[in-house]
Amino acid sequence: MSRHTARRAAVATLTAGMAVALAACGSSSNGGSTDGSAPSKASSSSKGGVTQVDITLTGGDSDACSVDTKTAAAGPITFNITNKNSTAITEVELQSDQRILGEKENLAPGLAPVKFTLTLTGGTYQIYCPGAKQELQDFKVTGSAPASTGGTASSLLGHGVKGYAKYVTTNVQAMQSAVGKLVAAIDDGNLAEAKKQYALARPFYEKIESDVDGFVLPGYKPTDNAGNLDYLIDMRESNLDPKVGWHGFHAIEKDLWQGGKITPHTKTLAAELKTNVGKLVGLTKTLHYKPEDLANGAAGLLEEVQTEKIRGTEEKYSHLDLVDFNANVEGAQQAFAFLKPGLSKIDPGLTTNIAKQFTAVENKLNLYRDAKIPGGFVYWTPALRAKDASTLSQTVQGLQDPLSKVGEKVATAQ
Amino acid sequence: MSEGHSEVSRRRLFQGAAGGVAVGALAAGGAAWGIWPEQAVAADRDQIDLTTSHPFYDAAHPAGIATPPQRYAIYMTFDLVDGSLVTDLQSLLARWTAAIAQLMRGRPIGQVQPTRVDAVGGDSGEAMGLDPASLTVTVGLGPGIFDRRFGLSDKKPPLLADLPALPSDRLAKETTGGDLSLQVCSDDPQVAYHAVRNLARMVRDTAHTRWAVLGFGRASAGQGQETPRNLFGFKDGTRNLRTPAEFDKHVWVRDGWMAGGTYQIARKIQMNLEIWDADMVSDQENIFGRSKLDGAPLSGGKEMTTPDFTAKGKDGKTKIPVLSHIALAAHENNDGIQILRRGYNYTDGINQYGQLDAGLLFVCYQNDPAHFVTLQTKLGASDLMNEYIQHIGSGIFAVPPAPRTGHYIGEQLFA
């Protein structure tokens, strides 16, 4: 998601508010059919009090997803999935009104069978096998079961987004304080101190920039960059709108590093930045998020890493790109951490993989830490980029790809 | 090897290189074994039927080797990321196998338009509406797969090892090696690119791309194909392996879990085209040992005439120079060694000196990599052509046998 494109998480959520999370209990079905699927067993089998449902994937001219029983009594149910020879079906989900309650991905012929277990109460669910000739099949649960302990995926996700909202407001307040120190140093005409404070202030913005990206101040048209808070705070020289001119962090960066001195214009820029960050503090308090906003925001932060930081275009003059890089990753990691309890109920495999990929990125970034340099990372110079950008970028890509799948998993229907 | 079957046409496109005669229901490449080479020169069979889909599962041998060379190729190698587990490798191979099966049938590997609004696409979509176009994907396992990382050293194919340093090698680190290779060939370049792009994408958390070459034109002949030309303007691969008996003898591994598979060696060979073009054609012919126009050996006859390396001219020298490319490489002069060549012409645009940056993606298959080493040791030391080429990239891979339905490539490693 690049700057100035239509998809803007924060804007959308200002009006939409937080979606009400549905508990993982049964609901009526408006889709799916049981026609034309494999013969069902009269009743499901049980192992240690857990109902067993076997799903078999087959291929050939058309791929099929056969379920051995279409009904089960409420309670814990294990779905055992075997991919016999289907190349088109790579995942199986249990849904309730398009909401994913549980799933298995990366199914391929020849691999050992996999399973997931859910506690389901009475109602009609759907077994979803994308790529099958018949993708949706109804699955009926009779009776009722108590909600599983530890909360449902939806309630956990609902809890997570509230936690994330607090994280954003706290972070923006810390940014206000850090920007205050930067402005003070500039007002004092202290170049060395200003450079240091610049490096210390940047991460706060970079951790949450995907939530601010495209944020429009009240009373401005969405097309008017004069009302676009992200533009006013973080625009790079390469993407300027001539009507609005250059403001914010990077205009200050150029003065401090390339100009090498603090001018009256630098002081004007600093004062503006302070004002705009103040507005940001007020506005973030009004934001509400949906789980998919956190997922898309995290993916957006990694996209920032890949399109700007890795190429050294974000901090063109100061070469502090790795400071921003690390902050983008930390911001994404925070968003993921708040989704994790709910996501791990829906897709534990994906959750584990993303956690592992975050560790891989962290380990790579740790190689560049240098406590002596303000911001804590070595300078991302052209020479260093030429040597290391490819590995670093591919490691981030390894995280970005699984992370890009989280949005659909956590998106709640109504 | 069984022939590609033609899925009855939605859109059928025949392209004959010489305004070719349409051959009705007979799919391209449908020549029977054995009629080659007698009819080859007269009957040009280099025709393309984009609806052709080659078999993948349950074939005697992996696709993309004995398959008549398609017009375009992309070759890409990968490294498994640090910390990968043996189960990551297993999952990668199983998922690649299923995806390749989809792609070779001209089908997407996932939803192009996802059902859910917040979902990313499962397939990038640029092959929508395109036919299978004879796509083949050949998976190779590099020596690194069998090092200590995965505990698979006891499964290491006995002849798989990094190639030794060879004479005239000018290998660049960035175009050498890899834990995995994909050779993707198709008669539609977009179909080939879509395949490699999506296969790379689906394993990004396990395997990082290492190097790639885009081959824009085939430079080797299979059965039933007229010999194509490399960027030096010469026919390349006139004496290539063609019959099943030749493949059995020289290409396919006979024993162990690799039985039915083979060893793949890829070399990125840069050609100094400007310098070559400034050379007299008569000298170029001496370098190859063949005539430029019809590809006949300098000892006389037609393209398919067996070269006579002893025939002498009036000057008392052999008509085919002793250090010519074909004299050095001929099986008559190498204890019968033969390898399958399956190369493609490539270009990387223009180099830093303003010269054309192009050459030959040389891919060969043999049941013993030492056969390539023997030939290249000789060529690298003495070939008259060395003035005009540099080997700048290299890789060696074991190609497991074709998967059976319900199984995956390399599954034998994890048994």
Side-chain angles (χ1 to χ4, degrees):
Chain A
M1 159 171 44
S2 61
R3 281 158 200 268
H4 300 140
T5 54
R7 189 154 63 102
R8 289 291 174 260
V11 176
T13 49
L14 258 183
T15 50
M18 198 191 79
V20 179
L22 289 173
C25 58
S27 55
S28 66
S29 163
N30 53 8
S33 146
T34 55
D35 294 341
S37 50
S40 297
K41 283 193 295 192
S43 62
S44 51
S45 63
S46 174
K47 197 158 71 183
V50 180
T51 304
Q52 302 293 312
V53 177
D54 291 336
I55 300 174
T56 306
L57 313 181
T58 52
D61 284 336
S62 72
D63 293 72
C65 182
S66 310
V67 185
D68 72 339
T69 178
K70 299 294 175 59
T71 59
I77 301 174
T78 296
F79 296 87
N80 301 294
I81 307 158
T82 305
N83 188 343
K84 197 165 162 239
N85 59 359
S86 168
T87 55
I89 309 168
T90 62
E91 61 180 309
V92 171
E93 300 174 355
L94 188 81
Q95 298 184 342
S96 172
D97 273 351
Q98 296 187 30
R99 223 156 21 88
I100 309 168
L101 303 180
E103 71 171 313
K104 279 289 167 185
E105 295 170 312
N106 298 331
L107 309 171
L111 292 178
V114 292
K115 60 187 175 184
F116 64 92
T117 302
L118 295 165
T119 298
L120 299 174
T121 191
T124 300
Y125 300 82
Q126 295 82 42
I127 291 168
Y128 178 51
C129 305
K133 190 179 180 196
Q134 185 191 337
E135 296 194 322
L136 278 173
Q137 301 175 59
D138 280 354
F139 183 77
K140 288 198 174 67
V141 175
T142 54
S144 67
S148 59
T149 52
T152 62
S154 291
S155 67
L156 291 168
L157 290 170
H159 189 68
V161 295
K162 284 184 206 154
Y164 182 73
K166 260 186 222 155
Y167 163 75
V168 173
T169 49
T170 309
N171 184 72
V172 172
Q173 279 159 2
M175 170 164 41
Q176 193 173 29
S177 153
V179 166
K181 287 179 189 161
L182 168 63
V183 173
I186 289 172
D187 286 344
D188 288 350
N190 186 339
L191 183 66
E193 180 66 12
K195 284 181 170 180
K196 182 183 157 193
Q197 294 302 334
Y198 176 91
L200 297 179
R202 288 292 296 153
F204 295 106
Y205 190 77
E206 294 295 313
K207 283 178 199 174
I208 52 106
E209 66 175 323
S210 58
D211 299 315
V212 188
D213 195 6
F215 197 101
V216 179
L217 290 169
Y220 286 89
K221 286 182 189 166
T223 50
D224 186 355
N225 282 321
N228 180 320
L229 215 43
D230 183 50
Y231 181 95
L232 296 172
I233 293 174
D234 197 35
M235 190 41 59
R236 295 173 305 274
E237 192 176 19
S238 53
N239 297 59
L240 291 187
D241 176 347
K243 283 196 302 242
V244 183
W246 199 12
H247 308 269
F249 276 117
H250 295 300
I252 293 171
E253 179 204 356
K254 188 179 184 185
D255 278 6
L256 299 184
W257 271 271
Q258 195 193 51
K261 59 183 177 192
I262 293 165
T263 66
H265 179 60
T266 318
K267 292 181 181 177
T268 308
L269 290 170
E272 276 177 5
L273 179 64
K274 193 174 179 177
T275 307
N276 287 324
V277 170
K279 288 178 188 169
L280 185 62
V281 171
L283 285 164
T284 48
K285 285 178 190 159
T286 68
L287 289 179
H288 297 279
Y289 305 89
K290 290 186 287 184
E292 59 268 37
D293 296 335
L294 273 61
N296 296 336
L301 288 175
L302 293 185
E303 192 179 303
E304 280 283 330
V305 169
Q306 293 287 46
T307 53
E308 305 296 343
K309 280 74 179 185
I310 206 83
R311 297 174 190 197
T313 49
E314 179 81 25
E315 303 285 354
K316 187 176 166 189
Y317 304 103
S318 66
H319 297 311
L320 290 169
D321 301 273
L322 291 182
V323 176
D324 296 355
F325 186 141
N326 183 59
N328 282 158
V329 172
E330 270 187 41
Q333 203 161 12
Q334 282 297 327
F336 172 68
F338 284 110
L339 293 175
K340 202 173 164 187
L343 182 64
S344 61
K345 292 247 171 203
I346 299 167
D347 193 339
L350 181 65
T351 313
T352 309
N353 186 27
I354 292 171
K356 182 178 142 195
Q357 300 301 330
F358 265 118
T359 307
V361 173
E362 272 178 79
N363 288 344
K364 276 269 190 280
L365 270 174
N366 285 342
L367 303 174
Y368 301 94
R369 286 191 188 273
D370 185 341
K372 295 189 294 294
I373 299 173
F377 285 87
V378 299
Y379 297 111
W380 193 229
T381 57
L384 187 56
R385 289 203 301 272
K387 189 165 79 71
D388 289 2
S390 167
T391 327
L392 208 46
S393 175
Q394 294 212 48
T395 307
V396 173
Q397 195 68 54
L399 168 61
Q400 195 175 5
D401 274 42
L403 197 60
S404 70
K405 293 182 182 144
V406 174
E408 62 168 316
K409 312 288 182 197
V410 298
T412 48
Q414 300 306 313
Chain B
M1 171 198 140
S2 55
E3 292 304 323
H5 65 280
S6 170
E7 294 187 345
V8 181
S9 59
R10 280 169 287 161
R11 293 185 293 116
R12 171 167 293 196
L13 177 58
F14 285 100
Q15 292 178 350
V21 185
V23 285
L26 182 64
W33 291 106
I35 60 167
W36 189 271
E38 288 76 16
Q39 298 178 8
V41 179
D44 169 24
R45 291 179 178 277
D46 183 16
Q47 298 159 53
I48 287 175
D49 177 355
L50 291 175
T51 65
T52 303
S53 169
H54 287 296
F56 176 58
Y57 286 117
D58 305 314
H61 301 290
I65 298 169
T67 312
Q70 303 92 324
R71 289 201 170 172
Y72 310 97
I74 299 170
Y75 186 84
M76 191 176 279
T77 80
F78 300 81
D79 287 328
L80 289 158
V81 300
D82 296 344
S84 295
L85 307 173
V86 68
T87 47
D88 295 328
L89 174 64
Q90 189 178 14
S91 170
L92 175 149
L93 290 170
R95 294 170 61 222
W96 262 2
T97 302
I100 291 166
Q102 287 289 105
L103 293 164
M104 282 177 58
R105 295 161 86 188
R107 298 180 180 182
I109 63 162
Q111 291 177 321
V112 173
Q113 178 69 60
T115 314
R116 279 188 285 269
V117 67
D118 284 288
V120 294
D123 180 293
S124 56
E126 70 271 29
M128 279 184 76
L130 300 179
D131 283 316
S134 291
L135 177 77
T136 56
V137 180
T138 312
V139 177
L141 309 174
I145 294 291
F146 303 95
D147 64 18
R148 286 188 297 275
R149 282 179 293 174
F150 305 109
L152 297 174
S153 50
D154 59 328
K155 297 284 174 57
K156 184 180 173 111
L159 305 178
L160 182 67
D162 285 325
L163 293 171
L166 297 170
S168 302
D169 271 2
R170 287 208 217 160
L171 305 182
K173 190 167 164 267
E174 57 271 19
T175 48
T176 297
D179 289 333
L180 296 163
S181 72
L182 291 177
Q183 175 201 269
V184 181
C185 303
S186 171
D187 286 325
D188 183 331
Q190 179 125 331
V191 167
Y193 197 77
H194 168 262
V196 78
R197 172 188 178 183
N198 282 273
L199 292 169
R201 178 194 181 205
M202 65 189 283
V203 301
R204 269 177 197 151
D205 52 6
T206 315
H208 289 172
T209 55
R210 188 174 172 107
W211 58 285
V213 181
L214 273 68
F216 66 81
R218 68 180 174 89
S220 70
Q223 43 117 6
Q225 290 178 327
E226 190 174 348
T227 315
R229 292 175 189 271
N230 58 35
L231 294 182
F232 283 154
F234 278 76
K235 292 195 171 206
D236 200 335
T238 294
R239 307 184 79 198
N240 216 352
L241 303 177
R242 286 188 175 85
T243 67
E246 289 173 328
F247 275 76
D248 285 342
K249 186 174 178 194
H250 300 287
V251 178
W252 307 125
V253 173
R254 294 179 197 97
D255 305 311
W257 74 265
M258 279 277 292
T262 183
Y263 293 94
Q264 175 193 68
I265 292 170
R267 306 283 283 186
K268 187 176 184 185
I269 305 172
Q270 196 175 58
M271 293 174 162
N272 306 331
L273 295 181
E274 285 84 353
I275 301 170
W276 178 260
D277 292 343
D279 190 30
M280 298 173 295
V281 171
S282 57
D283 188 54
Q284 294 179 348
E285 291 180 324
N286 281 327
I287 289 168
F288 269 90
R290 290 188 179 276
S291 72
K292 192 163 191 177
L293 273 188
D294 61 8
L298 296 184
S299 52
K302 298 179 194 168
E303 186 199 349
M304 294 298 158
T305 306
T306 302
D308 180 351
F309 297 106
T310 59
K312 289 186 175 150
K314 285 175 193 153
D315 60 2
K317 294 181 185 168
T318 53
K319 288 184 177 174
I320 300 174
V322 178
L323 299 183
S324 67
H325 190 73
I326 68 162
L328 291 171
H331 58 86
E332 291 90 341
N333 303 329
N334 290 286
D335 298 327
I337 287 177
Q338 291 194 73
I339 59 177
L340 175 72
R341 289 158 288 162
R342 210 171 181 287
Y344 284 85
N345 300 321
Y346 80 83
T347 173
D348 284 342
I350 293 169
N351 70 15
Q352 58 179 318
Y353 310 110
Q355 297 160 334
L356 299 176
D357 193 348
L360 182 70
L361 167 64
F362 177 91
V363 182
C364 65
Y365 294 91
Q366 53 276 305
N367 51 24
D368 185 349
H371 296 166
F372 167 80
V373 171
T374 299
L375 295 175
Q376 183 53 30
T377 300
K378 209 164 151 189
L379 289 166
S382 310
D383 193 354
L384 292 172
M385 200 184 285
N386 289 341
E387 190 179 342
Y388 303 93
I389 60 172
Q390 297 88 38
H391 287 235
I392 58 170
S394 180
I396 178 167
F397 300 88
V399 180
R404 286 175 294 124
T405 298
H407 296 269
Y408 58 90
I409 294 167
E411 191 174 335
Q412 301 89 338
L413 292 179
F414 311 99

